[in-house]
Amino acid sequence: MAANRTRGQRAGLTRQAVLEAALRLVDQEGLKALSMRRLGAELGVEAMTLYHHVPNKTALLDGMIEQVVAEAVPTEFGAGTWRADLSAYAHALVAALDAHPHAAPLLLSRPALTPRNLRTLEAVVEMLHEAGFSLPRTLDVLYSLTSFAVGHAAAHAGRIDGAGSLASLDPEAYPLLVAAARESGEDAADARFAFALDALLSGFERELEGGPAEG
C-alpha cells in the first residue's frame, strides 16, 4: 500500500520550487504583489498547500533572501585568498541583486538566518579567521562588505547613483560637481564600485598586516 502523503507532497512541490516561484513573482511584479494566495495561484495550488513547505510569510521572505545569497556564493568560494574570495563574493552579490532588484530591500531589512545562509556565514568566518582575523573582526569584515554591496545594488536598482543628475546641473553654479560627473561618464557606477571595494579590502588587509585585532 502506498504511504499517505500530504497535499503538498501530492502537488509535487518542494521548498526550493516554492522559493524560486516567489522570487520570480517578485522579480516581475515587486514585493507588494507577493502573498501566499497569489503565490499559490502561480503554482496552481491552494495557498494552504504552501504551508507544507514554508510555515509563514516570514519564512518565505527569508527563503527568498537565501536564494539570492546562494546565487552570490561563487562556485570556487574558499579556493583562493581571503581577499580574492571576498572580492568575488561582493561582485557576485551585486550581480545577483541586479538580477533580482526587488530583493535588495529584503537584504537590508532582515537577517534571514536560515540554515543554508548560516552555513555560508560559517564558511566565510572560518576562512577569515584562518587568514588571521580575530573572530569578532570576521563579523565586522563580513557585515561591512555585505552592507556595502547591498547598498550599492539598492542604489543602482533605484537609479540613485547621482552622477547623471549632477552632470545636468548648471555648470556655472557648480563647475566642479558638473565636471567631475561628466568626466566620470554615464556608466561610472561599476568603476566606482570596484574602486570603493578595493579601498575597503585594502583597509582590511592593512589591519591584518598590522597584527591581530584585540577582542
Side-chain angles (χ1 to χ4, degrees), residues 101 152-161:
H152 172 83
H156 187 256
R159 299 297 187 268
I160 57 174
D161 179 73

Side-chain angles (χ1 to χ4, degrees), residues 17-99:
V18 171
L19 298 180
E20 289 175 356
L23 195 55
R24 284 196 303 271
L25 177 59
V26 169
D27 286 344
Q28 294 167 2
E29 301 184 32
L31 280 169
K32 291 183 178 180
L34 181 65
S35 69
M36 300 302 270
R37 182 184 298 274
R38 177 65 188 282
L39 182 57
E42 289 291 316
L43 289 165
V45 299
E46 295 292 333
M48 289 302 296
T49 301
L50 302 178
Y51 292 104
H52 294 291
H53 307 283
V54 287
N56 48 51
K57 190 173 181 180
T58 295
L60 177 64
L61 295 175
D62 287 346
M64 290 168 59
I65 296 176
E66 175 188 297
Q67 288 294 109
V68 175
V69 171
E71 290 183 22
V73 177
T75 55
E76 68 279 7
F77 180 76
T81 66
W82 68 265
R83 180 165 177 154
D85 283 342
L86 289 185
S87 179
Y89 170 71
H91 281 284
L93 182 56
V94 169
L97 287 170
D98 280 347

Side-chain angles (χ1 to χ4, degrees), residues 129 131-137 205-215:
H129 190 47
F133 291 95
S134 69
L135 280 174
R137 189 63 76 215
E205 191 166 44
R206 281 194 296 272
E207 176 170 320
L208 186 60
E209 291 173 347
E214 295 181 0

Side-chain angles (χ1 to χ4, degrees), residues 101-119:
H102 295 295
L106 289 178
L107 270 79
L108 290 169
S109 65
R110 55 196 314 114
L113 300 179
T114 68
R116 188 176 183 181
N117 277 351
L118 288 172
R119 287 193 296 271

Side-chain angles (χ1 to χ4, degrees), residues 149-211:
V150 174
H152 172 83
H156 187 256
R159 299 297 187 268
I160 57 174
D161 179 73
S165 298
L166 292 176
S168 63
L169 293 174
D170 180 358
E172 293 188 3
Y174 310 101
L176 296 180
L177 282 175
V178 173
R182 290 179 179 176
E183 289 178 24
S184 295
E186 295 183 359
D187 300 318
D190 289 343
R192 190 172 294 120
F193 173 75
F195 165 76
L197 175 61
D198 185 68
L200 189 63
L201 294 174
S202 293
F204 298 154
E205 191 166 44
R206 281 194 296 272
E207 176 170 320
L208 186 60
E209 291 173 347

